[in-house]
Amino acid sequence: MFGKDVEKKANRGTVMCFLVAVYTVTSIVFLLQVNQYTQDIYDFPYLVSSQARIMKSRLYDFRSLTPVLFSSKDLNSAQLENALKTQESLQHQSIVIIEDRYRGKPEELQELKDALAEIGQKRRELVDRTRGEPTVENVITLYNQIVEPAFIHFDDILDRIATNADQRGSDIKEKSDRNIYGFVICTILMGILLLWFIYTGSRDLNRAYLKGLKPRVWQIPANKKLSTL
């Protein structure tokens, strides 16, 4: 009887070891998944959002410098063209990063490229229109008429792309949080289950052991008498 009880508890121990093994593998898979979520947030939404904001900063910086640059009599058209190309080259580099990482609609990326081309065209038109009268007042007046609408359009697209990227990052984070909560619940349940296995196994094994040590009471048949010396 004691041997059977020990065998039964050994089987229970095997089941417990199996559960621990499953939990260990699940934990490793979960941690790798959470790490992937973190990497995805950095590789996609974060980079896209940061590049969109960098482009936006360049856009505003160049607008603030436009009256000074375009009204300067020390700069000719070729020098202004070089300044435009330098700024646009940086913007194109950011677009390359966004294009590689963006997970939104392809139409939005094409709209961003078209808007950059449009604002470049309007800036060159401004150069041609202000060379005859390169005063600050004339530059500002013509800028508001020619470039500002393209500026607003480009700025709106950058805001939209940055917002979409931030939303995607929030979605990934929410999904990761849900998985973490689920994992915490599973960990609690697994802990309770293992404690129950350990407690019941130890209790039953101890009872079986004590039962095996209990002395047997020998029964003497009623029709037999003890022999006397």
Side-chain angles (χ1 to χ4, degrees):
M1 178 63 104
F2 177 69
K4 291 182 179 180
D5 289 336
V6 172
E7 182 179 357
K8 182 179 179 181
K9 303 310 175 292
N11 292 335
R12 179 178 292 185
T14 302
V15 173
M16 186 173 67
C17 291
F18 173 76
L19 291 176
V20 171
V22 171
Y23 176 74
T24 302
V25 173
T26 303
S27 299
I28 294 173
V29 172
F30 169 78
L31 292 174
L32 291 175
Q33 188 177 45
V34 170
N35 180 68
Q36 186 61 50
Y37 284 146
T38 304
Q39 191 65 36
D40 286 346
I41 290 176
Y42 175 78
D43 287 344
F44 299 102
Y46 174 77
L47 280 181
V48 170
S49 178
S50 64
Q51 287 300 318
R53 287 176 171 78
I54 289 173
M55 292 182 70
K56 190 180 183 74
S57 176
R58 294 194 194 109
L59 189 66
Y60 277 87
D61 288 345
F62 197 85
R63 184 176 71 167
S64 64
L65 292 175
T66 295
V68 177
L69 289 175
F70 285 57
S71 63
S72 176
K73 296 182 180 179
D74 297 329
L75 298 177
N76 54 36
S77 298
Q79 291 171 319
L80 289 175
E81 176 66 20
N82 184 60
L84 290 174
K85 285 184 176 180
T86 299
Q87 205 262 356
E88 290 168 359
S89 175
L90 295 174
Q91 299 290 57
H92 279 295
Q93 291 176 17
S94 293
I95 287 180
V96 170
I97 296 175
I98 292 175
E99 189 175 20
D100 181 57
R101 306 287 181 167
Y102 192 56
R103 293 300 180 265
K105 297 179 181 179
E107 296 81 6
E108 293 175 339
L109 290 176
Q110 186 59 48
E111 190 177 1
L112 179 63
K113 295 177 183 179
D114 294 341
L116 180 59
E118 180 187 12
I119 198 171
Q121 178 185 352
K122 296 299 183 180
R123 284 170 174 173
R124 285 163 178 79
E125 182 180 345
L126 181 64
V127 172
D128 295 337
R129 296 276 296 274
T130 56
R131 286 302 84 195
E133 188 182 349
T135 62
V136 174
E137 293 79 6
N138 187 44
V139 170
I140 293 177
T141 299
L142 291 177
Y143 180 91
N144 291 333
Q145 295 175 1
I146 299 171
V147 183
E148 187 67 14
F151 175 94
I152 294 174
H153 179 55
F154 192 24
D155 186 49
D156 289 342
I157 297 173
L158 288 174
D159 283 339
R160 194 189 319 155
I161 288 178
T163 300
N164 291 343
D166 289 339
Q167 182 59 50
R168 175 170 171 77
S170 297
D171 293 341
I172 294 175
K173 184 179 182 301
E174 288 178 4
K175 185 176 181 180
S176 177
D177 289 342
R178 287 195 299 269
N179 288 347
I180 290 174
Y181 295 147
F183 181 74
V184 169
I185 293 173
C186 290
T187 300
I188 294 173
L189 294 176
M190 178 63 70
I192 294 173
L193 183 61
L194 291 177
L195 288 174
W196 179 81
F197 263 107
I198 294 171
Y199 171 74
T200 57
S202 299
R203 182 195 61 188
D204 294 346
L205 188 60
N206 186 56
R207 286 179 178 177
Y209 177 73
L210 293 176
K211 187 177 180 180
L213 293 180
K214 185 177 180 180
R216 296 183 179 181
V217 178
W218 296 94
Q219 299 292 333
I220 302 174
N223 58 351
K224 291 187 178 180
K225 295 182 179 181
L226 291 174
S227 61
T228 58
L229 296 175

